[in-house]
Amino acid sequence: MTNDATTFNKVFGIGLNKTGTTSLAMALNQLKIPVADFPHDCVTRRELEVGQYHLSVLEHHRGATDTSVAAFYAQLDQAYPNSKFILTVRPSREDWLRSLKKQLEGTRRWWHPQSNSARFMYFINTATYGVSTFQPERMAFAYDLHVKNVLHYFADRPDDLLVMNIMAGDGYDKLCPFLGLEPMTGPFPKANTRDEREGWLQAMEQAVPELRAVLPDSASVALVDDGYLHDTHVQTQWNMQPFPSVNGLFAGPPADSEQARELLEHAIADGLEYLLFAWPGMWWLDHYAVFHRYLRERHPCLLDNERFVLFRLKK
């Protein structure tokens, strides 16, 4: 076992959406393996549409998860030899269908139909499921076929594929040995639990007025969300930039609290006025505890609830 992930090339979470892909991405990031959870920018879409599998997003990330890569595992295996693949599954197909329906209905309300994100969703759902809207029989068929095909593809390469049932309790004790890492202590991330109760996208939408009350429309804002809220009302209303970013795209989590502080101070010197943590990036506040303490000590916190934490940055 080792403490650094140097024995493989990339890591791909190739489970379909609503199988714990965001939890997996959070866990990998906490293991200091920066991955993009559901990259859905226009560059990624154009590359996938033309069969360009050396993805630009992977120049700045160690891997990716969710349907952005799930349907293309064989091509990514060829493009990035010596990579690891993680297939997340769900204990109950019926629960998966219910959760998937809720997600698809929520994203249709959240994203403008002509936005890049909505276009990506149309493309990737068609590529993954053969349909662009919720069709339970077709999607259940596609789910079963995907699992069957992945297991067959890696049948002779057991060291390259890990099957995880996160919702049934699989966690770091299974993930870390697969990656050749020392086991990590602490609970495994459990993202999207709110989605099972009422839909996290709807909850975020309801919280926008809280943000509007304390954040000026013209503010310079950096958004910590692991790249998940791109093209949503939260990001577009204030024209937020991801933190940290490279060429306007989320660059992945910093190595440690010191690097996070340095990146922020450079951004402040360039005119950044506010730093916003949205729900998908809340794990930063625990993982980078020293950085979190630095923020609390140096910068006023204007909003702090289960969906948003907002700091006004002082030079």
Side-chain angles (χ1 to χ4, degrees), residues 6-17:
T6 58
T7 59
F8 53 86
N9 187 0
K10 302 289 186 182
V11 181
F12 296 101
I14 57 173
L16 301 185
N17 45 332

Side-chain angles (χ1 to χ4, degrees), residues 191-212:
N192 286 337
T193 53
R194 173 176 287 277
D195 180 65
E196 302 304 319
R197 302 193 302 269
E198 61 180 348
W200 77 265
L201 283 170
Q202 295 92 317
M204 291 288 278
E205 192 169 29
Q206 293 165 7
V208 167
E210 301 173 1
L211 196 58
R212 190 179 296 119

Side-chain angles (χ1 to χ4, degrees), residues 17-18 38-42 45 49 66-68 100-113 115-134 139 201 228 230-232:
N17 45 332
K18 308 313 302 174
F38 186 55
H40 55 278
D41 57 279
C42 58
R45 174 171 59 85
E49 284 177 336
D66 213 308
T67 48
S68 303
L100 181 63
K101 179 181 179 183
K102 193 176 295 183
Q103 182 194 51
L104 295 178
E105 290 175 346
T107 53
R108 280 202 303 273
R109 290 195 298 271
W110 190 259
W111 282 326
H112 188 281
S115 69
N116 288 325
S117 293
R119 292 173 181 173
F120 188 95
M121 286 294 291
Y122 176 86
F123 160 72
I124 206 65
N125 285 342
T126 303
T128 303
Y129 299 112
V131 291
S132 60
T133 59
F134 182 71
M139 288 177 158
L201 283 170
Y228 206 75
H230 181 75
D231 266 348
T232 66

Side-chain angles (χ1 to χ4, degrees), residues 185-253:
T185 59
F188 197 82
K190 291 293 178 67
N192 286 337
T193 53
R194 173 176 287 277
D195 180 65
E196 302 304 319
R197 302 193 302 269
E198 61 180 348
W200 77 265
L201 283 170
Q202 295 92 317
M204 291 288 278
E205 192 169 29
Q206 293 165 7
V208 167
E210 301 173 1
L211 196 58
R212 190 179 296 119
V214 294
L215 188 59
D217 290 343
S218 59
S220 171
V221 187
L223 175 64
V224 179
D225 72 328
D226 287 356
Y228 206 75
L229 298 184
H230 181 75
D231 266 348
T232 66
H233 299 326
V234 172
Q235 189 268 336
T236 56
Q237 178 167 331
W238 286 274
N239 192 27
M240 299 176 181
Q241 297 301 310
F243 179 81
S245 65
V246 174
N247 298 325
L249 298 176
F250 178 59

Side-chain angles (χ1 to χ4, degrees), residues 22-41:
T22 301
S23 298
L24 174 62
M26 293 170 67
L28 290 169
N29 283 322
Q30 290 186 11
L31 290 168
K32 298 184 179 180
I33 304 173
V35 300
D37 178 34
F38 186 55
H40 55 278
D41 57 279

Side-chain angles (χ1 to χ4, degrees), residues 5 24 30 72 84 103 108 114 139-141 170 175 193 214 223 237 281 298 302-303 308:
L24 174 62
Q30 290 186 11
F72 308 102
K84 296 288 190 178
Q103 182 194 51
R108 280 202 303 273
Q114 299 305 315
M139 288 177 158
F141 171 80
D170 288 349
L175 178 62
T193 53
V214 294
L223 175 64
Q237 178 167 331
R298 295 284 299 274
L302 306 183
L303 186 64
F308 296 119

